[in-house]
Amino acid sequence: MGRGRLILIEGLDRTGKTTQTSILTDRLKPNAQLIKFPDRSTTIGKLINQYLTDKNFNLPNQSVHLLFSANRWEVAENIKETLLNGTNVILDRYVYSGIAYSAAKDVDGMDLQWCLNPDKGLLKPDLTLFLTNESNDDAERDGFGEERYENVQFQKKVKKQFYAAFTEFETPNSNTLKLVDVTNKSIEEVSEEIWKLVQPILSNKEENQEFSFF
Ligand code: DGP
């Protein structure tokens, strides 16, 4: 039995990641486990939740960055074991969110490489799908929620940093990174597109059994 595949769905807020990761996991069940970041249920996750939801709760940007990374490390071993047991793991956000949201803050010294450093050694996904909604760029469509990062101006900066991170740490449109344009598409249309992109990764059981790491 080969190891499971690590499949990441990334994107800005309100691009449908949570819906799509859950549809994909359901479609692959029982051979798939969904893991969402940040995991707000752990001790570190509770601090992250407070930071996101309470704008009076302030922490240095560097500390916040390290908390999000620590939250990923909390489940790193669990992800590896699940994959080794032959189960696929579907991730809702991961290292690229970590880099993009922090780099978007334009803090001196917090460049892409600095932002990647605490995540170095985490498993690299076999496939990363980046959901992009071009109508999110339209300030008139500001339908974001109340959390800290949810405003059009900041999201535009985050988007730029996602692309910068992909350019730096991935080969765009290689076999391991695919952009999925969800603009004006139904949930079903997007889930079908995702399903087609995931098939070659799942059927290719013989090759690429080695893990790769950030
Ligand atoms: P979500 O639960 O997917 O809505 O994510 C909560 C918010 O936290 C969202 O605005 C994106 C942001 N976020 C997710 N992961 C990270 C991370 O690793 N670092 C930072 N700074 N922000 C993140």
Side-chain angles (χ1 to χ4, degrees):
M1 181 185 62
R3 69 164 174 86
R5 300 291 150 160
L6 185 59
I7 297 169
L8 163 63
I9 299 191
E10 276 283 12
L12 296 177
D13 294 80
R14 296 176 53 79
T15 47
K17 289 176 307 304
T18 302
T19 305
Q20 293 300 337
T21 46
S22 114
I23 292 174
L24 179 59
T25 308
D26 285 347
R27 242 172 140 164
L28 293 170
K29 265 182 184 163
N31 196 25
Q33 187 185 325
L34 172 61
I35 295 183
K36 176 176 168 38
F37 291 112
D39 175 352
R40 303 189 193 211
S41 69
T42 67
T43 309
I44 291 168
K46 287 192 178 102
L47 265 176
I48 291 173
N49 183 56
Q50 194 177 351
Y51 174 77
L52 289 171
T53 56
D54 178 359
K55 286 175 188 155
N56 296 316
F57 179 73
N58 285 313
L59 287 171
N61 288 308
Q62 291 84 351
S63 307
V64 170
H65 183 78
L66 296 173
L67 285 177
F68 275 101
S69 174
N71 189 238
R72 287 184 280 278
W73 279 105
E74 285 184 295
V75 243
E77 206 45 47
N78 172 28
I79 292 176
K80 194 170 181 189
E81 273 168 27
T82 307
L83 294 170
L84 286 172
N85 285 336
T87 302
N88 301 299
V89 175
I90 313 301
L91 299 175
D92 178 347
R93 292 195 188 278
Y94 195 46
V95 172
Y96 292 110
S97 280
I99 299 170
Y101 282 79
S102 284
K105 293 177 178 179
D106 279 332
V107 174
D108 263 0
M110 290 178 71
D111 57 18
L112 294 177
Q113 195 60 53
W114 187 96
C115 290
L116 173 68
N117 276 343
D119 280 347
K120 270 198 178 160
L122 286 175
L123 281 179
K124 204 162 191 179
D126 297 296
L127 177 66
T128 297
L129 300 175
F130 181 67
L131 307 193
T132 163
N133 187 344
E134 299 311 319
S135 54
N136 273 350
D137 288 349
D138 182 352
E140 299 300 313
R141 279 190 80 259
D142 188 349
F144 293 113
E146 294 296 312
E147 289 198 347
R148 190 177 282 264
Y149 298 137
E150 298 189 70
N151 67 78
V152 171
Q153 283 71 29
F154 188 70
Q155 296 282 323
K156 280 186 184 172
K157 290 186 179 177
V158 176
K159 189 176 201 172
K160 264 177 80 177
Q161 296 301 334
F162 264 118
Y163 286 125
F166 292 144
T167 307
E168 186 95 1
F169 307 120
E170 284 272 349
T171 312
N173 287 321
S174 69
N175 286 335
T176 53
L177 170 69
K178 303 279 180 195
L179 305 189
V180 179
D181 185 355
V182 305
T183 317
N184 300 325
K185 291 197 183 126
S186 68
I187 290 174
E188 291 73 25
E189 284 172 315
V190 176
S191 65
E192 277 314 302
E193 208 171 308
I194 289 176
W195 188 241
K196 284 195 192 120
L197 291 169
V198 162
Q199 288 316 301
I201 301 290
L202 296 176
S203 54
N204 187 9
K205 282 284 176 199
E206 262 34 87
E207 292 173 31
N208 194 19
Q209 292 291 313
E210 299 279 308
F211 284 121
S212 38
F213 301 88
F214 279 101

